[in-house]
Amino acid sequence: MLPLRGELCAILLLTCATLLNGAYWMGGTSPTSEIHKCTSDFVVNQKKIYALFRHIFSPTWNPVLTRTAKEFNVTDMTRYKDEKFPKVVMDFGKSMMKGRIKPVAKTYPFVYHLEPCVREFHTTLGFYKHIKDFDGVLESAAWLRNITNEESFMYSLLTYLIHHAEEEFLLPPPYEINPYKFFRDDVIRTAHLAKMSSCDGANFADENGIMVKYIDYDGPVSDGWEGDLAYFREDIDLNAYYYLFKLSFESSLEEEYFENTTRGEIFLYEHQQLLARYNLERFALDFDPVEAIPLFEETMSGYYPLMSHANGFPLIPRPYFYEEILEDSTKMDVIREEQGMLQLIDLGGIWHPGGKLDFKRPGGLNFLGSMIEGNTENKSNFPKFWPLLLKLVSGPKRYRTRKDQMDFSNVFDHHETQLRDPAYFQAIQRVMNLIRRHQDHLPPYDFEAKFIDVVDVKVSELQTMFEKRSVDISNAVAMEPVHDVDAEEWLRDEDVRFKVNLKVLTHIPFYYDLKVHADNPTDAVVRVFLGPNDAGAERIDLYNWDENRQNFFQIDYYPVKLHRGDNKITRKSTTFTGFGSGFKSFEEMSSMDDDESFTVSSRQSFCAFPERLMLPKSTTGGEDFVLYFVVTPTEVDVNEIEPTRLCAVGKPSRWADNWPMGFPFDRKINNEDFLVKNSAAKRVTIYHSEE
């Protein structure tokens, strides 16, 4: 999110440690403090955005949007930025109205990689880009909302907001926009049944005149394979984060969207971090780390999502131990391309008309990542390895998505549901094996700074628990048309809401104290990682860093000014960089008075990893982990650095030094030389409370 302008938001300087604040706002620079107080103008604009996503499966529910769509004139040339585009817009509008262009049908699942969906996505995105102003975009969105596929509308408008919008805004929670992609069938069916019986108010709670139906969600079904870890894979905030991350770095978008952004490298780093975090959860519950998806076995473990699309068709399962013997062609394609990638990695690069592109030089890893992901920056002749691998893993051909029938889609066909399937992490591990091969060809880092000494580390108690939470799923319930010719409110209070009661993993806020000695005043960067314990190492200096290097999850990153002598740095987990506290719900936004101001936290970032999931669950008896700290000098002026993980899409880098993403765990490690003066490691115990 962009920093809020002076006429809309008065910035409250609630903390002097502005450089230590956490996540980014949408699409641009970090705010100068963590809390903003927003005026009524902002509230009005924000409610319009929320209204566009409210009840997207009931298009006539909102009389203001219905009237706006009816009055919208697509051929009005004054709406557009230039003279060349309007003719395209006019032809598009006429063709759509006459049926020559057939968008994806209403309520059909939007499969991000299928040609009809990609075409509609880019057509709509191009339409938004050429509207003159933000108000015009909102009006055109009200029109497109009525005539395009609901999930396509979500995908296009959210992507536009992330990449193009010049106004300030927050995003609604994706799991409230489209509950079908975040909750099981039984939850949605219960809401539908409650809606049909709502006339008598049975089992509804009266909350300030609003009838609320609460549905208990007992948690993920343990399916016998990885079922005990489903609470993590099916976490709604984790899946919402991944969905918006994939929209931010949509592989079909052209390079112009990602100026100064290393999209391929980010793809590799983000998925390594996801896998590392998942493995920490596994270690905490005494599971083995994720193994790469097998390519030479004739059977594969199944997965039953127990979910349906808005049109009632189920997400197709992958049957247990299905035989893929007859699909040797796909399997051989994956094996052949993987062997080709390994050969290129061993050769150190790829040859193209301009010469050799060296993977070991700056920019080389970004190109390697683009080759693997198959995004638009991949200029090689190699097929898209990642989509090809997912095609094999997703299931038998008869269950896979087909161009002519999108109902046959599975969890791999939708970014909102991909992390729910354990096999998705196995596919990530297959890619990470390729990257480890590349890393092993690189020399170990020499990052010792003898004039900086990490003297001591203290960490407060680490404890996780499950907390109760209610989530609005009213968008999954059909709403009757509202006929009110005098209505002016874009987003209004509702008479009935449907909520799901669920338990989500969280932790007690904690802190650490870092004592650092500097021989001279120094600008520096602090990185903190959480990794697995090495039970075979009696002392931390005997830890096998190289074996575990891909299982370290970065939990903090920030610049700091060190003065000469001893420096004490205290960091609270609530300010760790790259983590967010969540979204503002539809209920919170609709209950706001247009004349009222409200506060917005910069940690309500759309692309911040869920703060709740910073620590793995662990056990009541406690499980040991390792915290690793490294302090490196930087020549960058730390007063100009606004640290983040990955949120600065298309903006200059927000990294405070020149070390790559993942440093120092992204190369082969000499275990004996890893703990240098300017680093420290500490064994910690994480406990889980059942209360």
Side-chain angles (χ1 to χ4, degrees), residues 558-570:
Y558 56 97
V560 64
K561 280 186 173 291
L562 301 176
H563 58 73
R564 184 176 180 179
D566 289 337
N567 298 262
K568 182 181 178 182
I569 304 170
T570 299

Side-chain angles (χ1 to χ4, degrees), residues 509-659:
F510 63 95
Y511 67 90
Y512 63 80
D513 290 331
L514 199 61
K515 185 178 180 182
V516 181
H517 181 87
D519 293 347
N520 300 295
T522 305
D523 287 351
V525 176
V526 181
R527 289 173 170 85
V528 185
F529 296 84
L530 178 66
N533 183 42
D534 184 352
E538 296 180 2
R539 304 191 312 271
I540 196 66
D541 58 320
L542 299 177
Y543 187 94
N544 192 332
W545 300 101
D546 189 62
E547 180 181 327
N548 290 289
R549 71 178 193 248
Q550 285 193 330
N551 291 323
F552 273 82
F553 178 67
Q554 184 172 301
I555 64 171
D556 205 6
Y557 169 91
Y558 56 97
V560 64
K561 280 186 173 291
L562 301 176
H563 58 73
R564 184 176 180 179
D566 289 337
N567 298 262
K568 182 181 178 182
I569 304 170
T570 299
R571 288 280 286 179
K572 296 180 180 180
S573 61
T574 52
T575 61
F576 285 4
T577 300
F579 293 91
S581 57
F583 303 84
K584 277 197 176 294
S585 68
F586 279 110
E587 182 177 11
E588 290 177 286
M589 189 58 63
S590 63
S591 63
M592 296 298 302
D593 190 317
D594 287 354
D595 296 327
E596 187 177 352
S597 63
F598 74 117
T599 58
V600 175
S601 169
S602 61
R603 294 182 72 78
Q604 290 171 321
S605 169
F606 82 105
C607 59
F609 195 88
E611 188 176 298
R612 294 189 293 99
L613 301 179
M614 188 183 299
L615 299 179
K617 174 177 174 283
S618 193
T619 61
T620 54
E623 296 291 334
D624 290 338
F625 292 85
V626 170
L627 278 174
Y628 176 82
F629 302 80
V630 60
V631 184
T632 51
T634 180
E635 297 180 358
V636 179
D637 185 354
V638 299
N639 290 323
E640 298 180 1
I641 292 300
E642 297 145 346
T644 183
R645 278 173 72 103
L646 302 171
C647 300
V649 179
K651 303 294 180 181
S653 171
R654 302 303 180 196
W655 297 91
D657 55 20
N658 295 321
W659 293 111

Side-chain angles (χ1 to χ4, degrees), residues 108 129 166 207 227 230 232 247 285 310 410 604 617 624 670:
Y108 265 59
K129 283 171 57 179
E166 298 177 355
E207 297 184 357
F232 178 82
L247 264 62
L285 299 183
N410 53 51
Q604 290 171 321
K617 174 177 174 283
D624 290 338
N670 290 331

Side-chain angles (χ1 to χ4, degrees), residues 26 49 53 134 157-165 169 171:
M26 173 87 51
I49 293 171
F53 292 106
F134 194 61
L157 184 56
L158 288 173
T159 303
Y160 168 79
L161 293 174
I162 291 169
H163 286 276
H164 292 287
F169 59 89
L171 288 182

Side-chain angles (χ1 to χ4, degrees), residues 43 134-135 340 386 395 404 415 436 474 482 522 610 637 652:
V43 177
F134 194 61
D135 286 339
W386 177 243
D404 59 336
H415 294 315
R436 189 177 181 102
S474 301
V482 176
T522 305
D637 185 354

